[in-house]
Amino acid sequence: MKKRLLAALLASAMALSLAACGNTDTGADNGGDAAANGGSSNEPVVLKMNSIKTTSDPMYEAWSNFCDRINEAANGTLDVQIYPSESLGATTDVIESISKGAAAIQDCDFSHLADYVPDYSAFMMPYLLQKPEDVGNLWLSDLGQELEAQLHEKGMRIITAVYFGERNWLTKSPMPDRAAASTMKLRCAPTKMWTEMVNVMGGNATTCTWSETYQAISQGVADGAESPIHILYSAKLHEVAKYLNYTRHLYAPTIMVMSEEVYQSLPEEGKKAIDEVGQAYPAQAIEEVESVVGPMLEDMINEGVQEVYPTDEAIQEWRDYSFEHVPEAFPEWSDNLVERIQEAIGATDSSASADTDAAAGDAAAA
């Protein structure tokens, strides 16, 4: 009850905020009339993007540019504005408000949608996605669109789904295999899939918010954390954990979601801009991430971080554990979901294994 009340208050607050900006017809409670009123007054429909990224995060500029491209393509019918550091509210609360018609956009990972469409959590299963292109390909596949249709029924729509970076573990001591991880307290977000991810690695899950992670590691509450390299570096975790373990357990996806009600209310030019810019972005995002990661990795190494390359056998052990045990923890998944995802991205169990081994081998040779 408290959560629903908070979501309702947030939606109302966002509506008032939009009205204060001079757009009185695009609030959360008036999403269905937004397009008509915005078009008749020649005022753009305002969509506020609540980003988890800080302005110092190198990918914040990428998101900002993405919003600008939508605005340009919309020919004055949309005004997508970005707000950093969850300044419009906590991600989960904003997502709930979006599902009820708030004129907002939220960046998050697929696991945040699992309460609405349970199968989405499988997109975050360790070692399932094997390369950056898998993220966009899965979203645009028949399976991805099937799940999106279910999401529309829950009041939301995905604007884009992009590769966010290769996730690896940064720890206070080397973690070359499951045996080494078994002695470690590994930080994760307080969700079912992230806890399972720590189980896959062989570690002991300890949960805390991302903003508390630096302190948790420095005080010994946690022995390490995982994320894409640019996020680890931006959070300065390399100051308190000096071993970068190339576990490559997840080619991380990140998405943007908005209200389906609001989307349907937009002028046709606005819808077209969102669709075309969003569907083109997965390929562009790969280049943006790679351009950021290289220099940051070099800086981390120059600042004392040591690289750890798990063997092919260690990678395979992690992967096998994931495929054998993670699906058992999610009985709510639809039948044969993992196999359907592999088919959607053009992988089979054996080929995915080969890709994982090849990636580990390339890393060892680097």
Side-chain angles (χ1 to χ4, degrees):
M1 177 66 71
K2 182 178 179 181
K3 184 176 180 181
R4 288 195 296 270
L5 177 60
L6 179 60
L9 291 173
L10 178 60
S12 299
M14 291 177 69
L16 291 173
S17 176
L18 290 170
C21 292
N23 188 337
T24 59
D25 299 309
T26 57
D29 297 327
N30 298 315
D33 299 325
N37 292 328
S40 63
S41 62
N42 295 318
E43 291 292 330
V45 177
V46 175
L47 298 174
K48 294 190 173 186
M49 178 182 173
N50 185 53
S51 178
I52 64 173
K53 298 170 183 62
T54 65
T55 55
S56 62
D57 188 313
M59 295 309 294
Y60 176 82
E61 183 178 358
W63 275 154
S64 181
N65 291 339
F66 175 81
C67 295
D68 290 342
R69 287 198 292 273
I70 291 179
N71 292 336
E72 181 178 358
N75 293 321
T77 61
L78 297 181
D79 181 12
V80 183
Q81 304 170 357
I82 186 169
Y83 291 76
S85 305
E86 293 183 308
S87 52
L88 297 181
T91 294
T92 54
D93 296 330
V94 173
I95 289 174
E96 184 169 353
S97 294
I98 287 171
S99 73
K100 299 179 184 303
I105 298 171
Q106 181 66 55
D107 61 340
C108 59
D109 65 62
F110 279 103
S111 68
H112 285 88
L113 302 182
D115 287 341
Y116 305 90
V117 180
D119 282 355
Y120 271 131
S121 60
F123 288 25
M124 309 298 292
M125 176 176 155
Y127 295 104
L128 183 52
L129 303 187
Q130 294 295 315
K131 55 185 182 299
E133 293 79 7
D134 287 348
V135 176
N137 291 342
L138 179 55
W139 170 49
L140 296 173
S141 69
D142 290 344
L143 172 60
Q145 295 307 294
E146 175 186 318
L147 297 183
E148 175 131 0
Q150 297 177 31
L151 187 65
H152 293 174
E153 295 177 357
K154 300 295 185 178
M156 288 180 284
R157 163 178 292 265
I158 296 175
I159 295 177
T160 195
V162 299
Y163 170 66
F164 187 53
E166 179 187 271
R167 299 184 79 109
N168 294 290
W169 284 94
L170 189 65
T171 52
K172 296 169 76 171
S173 59
M175 196 181 83
D177 50 37
R178 291 192 88 243
S182 68
T183 64
M184 298 183 184
K185 301 183 294 292
L186 300 177
R187 180 269 169 190
C188 66
T191 68
K192 187 176 180 180
M193 179 53 80
W194 290 117
T195 299
E196 286 301 313
M197 181 262 299
V198 172
N199 292 337
V200 167
M201 306 315 296
N204 304 287
T206 182
T207 61
C208 66
T209 64
W210 184 250
S211 61
E212 297 171 331
T213 301
Y214 184 101
Q215 184 177 12
I217 296 176
S218 64
Q219 294 182 351
V221 175
D223 297 313
E226 59 80 51
S227 205
I229 286 172
H230 58 90
I231 301 300
L232 295 171
Y233 186 81
S234 298
K236 302 184 184 300
L237 297 189
H238 61 289
E239 294 178 352
V240 291
K242 293 296 187 180
Y243 292 90
L244 179 61
N245 309 274
Y246 289 112
T247 53
R248 290 180 165 86
H249 53 279
L250 184 63
Y251 283 85
T254 193
I255 59 177
M256 291 187 186
V257 294
M258 69 173 293
S259 164
E260 174 67 5
E261 177 186 356
V262 171
Y263 172 85
Q264 293 298 340
S265 76
L266 296 178
E268 289 304 315
E269 277 191 302
K271 292 180 185 177
K272 183 178 179 181
I274 287 173
D275 293 343
E276 292 185 350
V277 175
Q279 291 176 23
Y281 195 42
Q284 299 168 8
I286 293 173
E287 297 179 4
E288 292 176 348
V289 169
E290 290 177 347
S291 69
V292 164
V293 167
M296 286 194 164
L297 176 58
E298 184 176 350
D299 289 342
M300 288 176 70
I301 294 171
N302 290 338
E303 293 174 34
V305 168
Q306 299 183 44
E307 298 170 288
V308 178
Y309 295 99
T311 64
D312 290 356
E313 291 76 16
I315 294 286
Q316 189 64 43
E317 184 180 11
W318 279 317
R319 183 187 177 282
D320 288 346
Y321 190 96
S322 180
F323 276 72
E324 290 172 8
H325 296 284
V326 171
E328 296 175 353
F330 294 88
E332 64 271 25
W333 286 355
S334 61
D335 293 341
N336 303 315
L337 179 60
V338 171
E339 290 78 6
R340 294 183 69 199
I341 290 175
Q342 289 180 308
E343 181 179 356
I345 62 177
T348 63
D349 194 61
S350 58
S351 66
S353 176
D355 288 343
T356 303
D357 292 344
D362 291 343

